[in-house]
Amino acid sequence: CAYAIMSNHSHMVLWCRPSVAAMWTAEEVARRWLMVFGPRGREWTDGEIAGFAKDEKQVAEWRARLSSVSWYMRCLNEYIARQANKEDGCKGRFWEGRFKSQLLADDGAVLACMAYVDLNPVRAKMAERLEESEFTSVYDRIVGKRGREKVKKISEALPYGHQDDKTQDASGEDEVQAGDGTEAATVIARAREEAVADAWLCPMGEAAGRHTVLDMSLDGYLALVEWTGQALRADKRGALPEGTRTMLEQMDLDVEAWVETVKEFGRIYHRVAGREESLRAKARAHGQRWVAGVKSGRDVYRGVAVG
């Protein structure tokens, strides 16, 4: 859903859906596992996959691992460690310790955490604008949106073949004659490449027919994160973008506390993040009488506290 790669650490917001993995056939589980963990370049026949699928115990283990955040992080971190050690010409431990994780219990927590992650370079003063925040999901989403806008503009201009028609990219840098096939092809290829920069991320609310991370448009999310970043950078709130207040209120988030929530998200929550009743429910489910972050859940969200 979101990520940020910093100089010495990284953040990720992951949507784990074991209920989807539970519906896969044994053959589908085996196929997916072999695609990732089988020998590179090996193409498996249907007969071979069916043979693996007969091992019920093995399939059950693969199914659990394919929907496990812990297994995902283990594989990712091992791959990165091997690559880094190879580049540095050394051996031994690469990561300082095991990853830390929080359960995001409701949409408000997901939104706040995504903004917190996407704004890491801005908070660290490594970037002033979202467009400069490379190695973040918000950068990929901006590039993807800009690429799709370019493709649309070019596709509308080129079919007519008028020599005077021009297509300008979203940044205002490229201006191409619609009749110039060579230059136009170059711009189209680049625009199409940009258009899928965010295709690997979980889409926002406007993606028809696909599971979306939030019931919020991409434009709305980008406007909210841009405004929040400006508020964090300048320590000056100003007026919320049109419609943003409504989006926050729909998630029961305290609008006045929003910027502070994003700024301090990593500190105010611990194992579980969300409204007070969500935290208390998780505590009861684990047989605990107390869970850290209840006061934060009460402060961050609007509404009446529950006992």
Side-chain angles (χ1 to χ4, degrees), residues 11-32:
H11 297 270
M12 280 174 278
V13 180
L14 304 174
W15 187 1
C16 183
R17 305 185 66 213
S19 60
V20 174
M23 295 187 294
W24 293 337
T25 64
E27 287 77 12
E28 179 69 3
V29 171
R31 185 184 68 82
R32 287 174 177 266

Side-chain angles (χ1 to χ4, degrees), residues 4-239:
I5 309 298
M6 306 297 285
S7 60
N8 63 352
H9 68 283
S10 63
H11 297 270
M12 280 174 278
V13 180
L14 304 174
W15 187 1
C16 183
R17 305 185 66 213
S19 60
V20 174
M23 295 187 294
W24 293 337
T25 64
E27 287 77 12
E28 179 69 3
V29 171
R31 185 184 68 82
R32 287 174 177 266
W33 181 268
L34 293 170
M35 282 175 61
V36 181
F37 297 104
R40 290 187 180 182
R42 171 70 186 275
E43 293 187 7
W44 302 91
T45 65
D46 291 343
E48 289 174 319
I49 291 176
F52 284 109
K54 292 178 181 179
D55 189 335
E56 295 183 2
K57 184 177 180 181
Q58 182 69 81
V59 168
E61 182 179 85
W62 287 349
R63 190 188 303 274
R65 288 178 173 179
L66 285 170
S67 59
S68 166
V69 171
S70 293
W71 189 261
Y72 170 84
M73 292 302 299
R74 171 182 173 176
C75 295
L76 180 64
N77 286 343
E78 179 182 351
Y79 174 80
I80 294 173
R82 287 181 181 275
Q83 289 293 104
N85 284 347
K86 182 179 180 180
E87 290 179 10
D88 294 339
C90 64
K91 297 180 180 181
R93 191 182 188 92
F94 176 76
W95 300 100
E96 182 177 346
R98 191 177 186 274
F99 72 94
K100 298 177 182 178
S101 64
Q102 294 174 316
L103 174 65
L104 305 177
D106 49 56
D107 283 352
V110 173
L111 176 60
C113 189
M114 286 178 62
Y116 166 77
V117 169
D118 275 332
L119 286 170
N120 257 256
V122 173
R123 286 202 321 277
K125 302 187 185 305
M126 296 172 63
E128 292 188 2
R129 302 167 63 238
L130 297 182
E131 292 84 349
E132 301 169 357
S133 300
E134 292 187 89
F135 313 114
T136 66
S137 49
V138 73
Y139 179 86
D140 289 347
R141 294 188 191 278
I142 290 172
V143 171
K145 179 176 181 291
R146 183 179 63 199
R148 290 186 289 274
E149 291 171 349
K150 289 181 183 178
V151 171
K152 183 179 179 180
K153 284 184 178 182
I154 295 171
S155 64
E156 290 174 349
L158 286 179
Y160 301 99
H162 296 314
Q163 292 294 327
D164 294 333
D165 288 344
K166 292 183 178 181
T167 300
Q168 189 177 54
D169 76 4
S171 65
E173 294 175 355
D174 294 324
E175 211 172 64
V176 178
Q177 294 283 359
D180 188 338
T182 303
E183 286 191 78
T186 301
V187 173
I188 291 172
R190 188 169 65 214
R192 286 176 175 168
E193 184 178 346
E194 290 181 350
V196 295
D198 59 344
W200 68 285
L201 293 169
C202 189
M204 307 298 280
E206 78 277 9
R210 297 179 62 190
H211 291 284
T212 55
V213 61
L214 289 170
D215 187 17
M216 173 184 292
S217 70
L218 175 58
D219 286 344
Y221 177 74
L222 294 179
L224 175 60
V225 177
E226 177 68 33
W227 177 86
T228 306
Q230 291 174 356
L232 288 172
R233 196 167 51 244
D235 196 25
K236 185 178 180 181
R237 300 296 186 262

Side-chain angles (χ1 to χ4, degrees), residues 275-281 284 294 297-298 302-307:
R275 54 172 55 87
E276 180 182 358
E277 52 266 41
S278 298
L279 270 61
R280 292 188 182 277
R284 289 193 294 270
V294 168
R298 187 183 304 135
R302 305 182 304 159
V304 181
V306 295

